[in-house]
């Protein structure tokens, strides 16, 4: 999207050692006089990482305050999908002085499970929103009025189901994290939000697929090889970490039934146990 807008995307690492979160010093070091925007997403797709406290986010908003030419686009899509008493905060809430250069984007796809209705929305400086409306009106025209009405109902209606649904998501998250950590060569931290886990498969890299598997005798060289092995040998589909720029990991969405997740994790455990030889990292 940045390239399409003739910008230069700069990826700043959000390392596992920091629970997949951006560090203030790394953000500061990445900003140049040419920087236009920080694209910020918490809770995150693909890692589920979320900025859990006012202080944690304040470290980042302090950096942005210093660089007055940088706007922030905050993707708050998973704001309602948080667990363990987590208190959600968005950057302009932590630092109101950023309000005039914040574009907040959100949608009804995740919290309200309305992906197919195709409604996203944004709040930001008037001139920016006006310009966005101009571009949209001449490209996609508009989202259909039926979807708009449905989204208004979702946002204004009774929100109590969110808590009940989150309790189920939390159980599923814990189930998946526990079962993945029991799989040989896999380690998985517990994310605070969204509905994804982002386990490391470092302990499988360098091992060889079993001779009786569809692509038997192949060395697992990367997270892409690992997810291909899961797909071919057990019919389990995951997204490899390289697609998100952070290896050696893979992403699993737990927005599906407990039965399907249990079965998938059993198959992952079986596939990992069947790998032969030593991991490179070992
Ligand atoms: C962080 C984040 N923002 C935005 C979206 C876009 O959702 P949609 O295109 O369904 O509105 C997604 C979908 O995966 C997402 O994970």
């Amino acid at each position: 999207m940045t390239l399409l807008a003739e910008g230069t995307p700069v990826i700043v690492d959000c390392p596992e050692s920091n629970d997949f979160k951006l560090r203030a010093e790394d953000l500061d070091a990445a900003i140049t006089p040419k920087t236009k925007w920080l694209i910020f997403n918490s809770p995150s797709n693909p890692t589920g990482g979320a900025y859990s406290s006012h202080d944690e986010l304040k470290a980042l908003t302090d950096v942005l305050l210093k660089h007055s030419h940088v706007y922030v686009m905050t993707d708050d899509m998973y704001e309602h999908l948080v667990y363990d008493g987590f208190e959600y905060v968005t950057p302009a809430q932590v630092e109101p002085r950023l309000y005039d250069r914040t574009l907040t984007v959100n949608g009804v796809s995740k919290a309200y499970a309305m992906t197919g209705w195709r409604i996203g929305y944004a709040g930001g400086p008037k001139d920016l929103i006006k310009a966005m409306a101009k571009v949209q009106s001449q490209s996609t025209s508009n989202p259909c009025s039926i979807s708009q009405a449905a989204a208004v109902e979702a946002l204004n209606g009774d929100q109590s189901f969110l808590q009940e649904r989150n309790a189920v998501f939390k159980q599923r998250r814990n189930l998946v994290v526990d079962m993945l950590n029991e799989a040989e060569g896999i380690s998985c931290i517990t994310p605070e939000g969204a509905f994804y886990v982002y386990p490391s498969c470092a302990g499988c890299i360098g091992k060889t697929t079993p001779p009786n598997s569809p692509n038997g005798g192949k060395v697992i060289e990367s997270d892409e090889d690992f997810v291909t092995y899961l797909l071919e040998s057990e019919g389990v589909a995951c997204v490899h970490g390289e697609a998100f720029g952070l290896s050696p990991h893979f992403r699993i969405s737990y927005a599906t039934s407990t039965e399907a997740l249990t079965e998938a994790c059993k198959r992952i455990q079986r596939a990992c146990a069947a790998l032969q030889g030593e991991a490179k990292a070992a």
Side-chain angles (χ1 to χ4, degrees):
M1 295 304 291
T2 306
L3 289 171
L4 197 60
E6 298 182 356
T8 306
V10 175
I11 311 294
V12 189
D13 276 347
C14 299
E16 183 173 7
S17 58
N18 195 39
D19 292 339
F20 300 116
K21 287 182 253 190
L22 177 61
R23 293 179 295 214
E25 60 271 30
D26 294 340
L27 172 62
D28 199 28
I31 292 175
T32 71
K34 285 185 161 179
T35 306
K36 299 261 188 218
W37 288 90
L38 167 67
I39 300 179
F40 182 76
N41 171 222
S42 166
S44 145
N45 177 4
T47 65
Y51 297 78
S52 58
S53 71
H54 228 260
D55 288 352
E56 196 174 33
L57 199 46
K58 183 92 175 39
L60 298 178
T61 58
D62 280 351
V63 172
L64 291 170
L65 259 194
K66 254 181 32 187
H67 302 281
S68 59
H69 63 295
V70 179
Y71 277 59
V72 55
M73 187 189 100
T74 171
D75 181 341
D76 297 356
M77 186 61 115
Y78 297 97
E79 67 171 316
H80 296 302
L81 292 158
V82 291
Y83 314 106
D84 307 319
F86 180 102
E87 205 180 309
Y88 176 80
V89 276
T90 192
Q93 212 178 341
V94 172
E95 181 47 82
R97 282 176 287 179
L98 290 178
Y99 195 79
D100 290 341
R101 46 188 169 110
T102 299
L103 179 69
T104 305
V105 302
N106 211 321
V108 292
S109 290
K110 313 294 173 177
Y112 305 99
M114 288 171 62
T115 314
W117 296 77
R118 309 309 306 136
I119 293 288
Y121 53 90
K126 233 180 190 158
D127 287 349
L128 182 63
I129 297 288
K130 261 190 180 167
M132 287 165 62
K134 204 178 275 181
V135 171
Q136 188 172 24
S137 74
Q138 301 305 320
S139 49
T140 61
S141 300
N142 63 282
C144 93
S145 55
I146 300 164
S147 291
Q148 291 187 48
V152 168
E153 280 306 308
L155 293 167
N156 288 339
D158 180 8
Q159 305 288 308
S160 57
F161 77 95
L162 285 172
Q163 231 172 347
E164 284 163 40
R165 210 256 327 265
N166 279 8
V168 178
F169 268 145
K170 180 179 159 170
Q171 279 172 3
R172 290 178 182 162
R173 177 200 64 177
N174 292 347
L175 171 90
V176 170
V177 168
D178 289 348
M179 287 188 79
L180 287 172
N181 278 320
E182 284 165 19
E184 239 174 276
I186 305 292
S187 67
C188 184
I189 63 173
T190 303
E192 284 155 317
F195 42 59
Y196 308 103
V197 290
Y198 201 62
S200 163
C201 56
C204 296
I205 309 284
K207 291 185 178 176
T208 305
T209 61
N212 58 349
S213 66
N215 225 332
K218 183 179 181 330
V219 177
I220 305 278
E221 309 266 14
S222 64
D223 48 29
E224 187 169 13
D225 286 351
F226 180 71
V227 298
T228 303
Y229 166 60
L230 290 183
L231 185 64
E232 291 178 347
S233 66
E234 293 286 355
V236 176
C238 310
V239 185
H240 65 295
E242 204 201 324
F244 301 105
L246 188 58
S247 295
H249 292 79
F250 58 107
R251 189 194 73 174
I252 293 176
S253 160
Y254 54 87
T256 186
S257 72
T258 304
E259 294 71 31
L261 291 168
T262 307
E263 178 61 26
C265 289
K266 268 191 207 158
R267 292 187 192 192
I268 294 172
Q269 288 177 349
R270 191 165 62 203
C272 289
L275 287 172
Q276 301 181 341
E278 292 298 314
K280 248 191 220 158

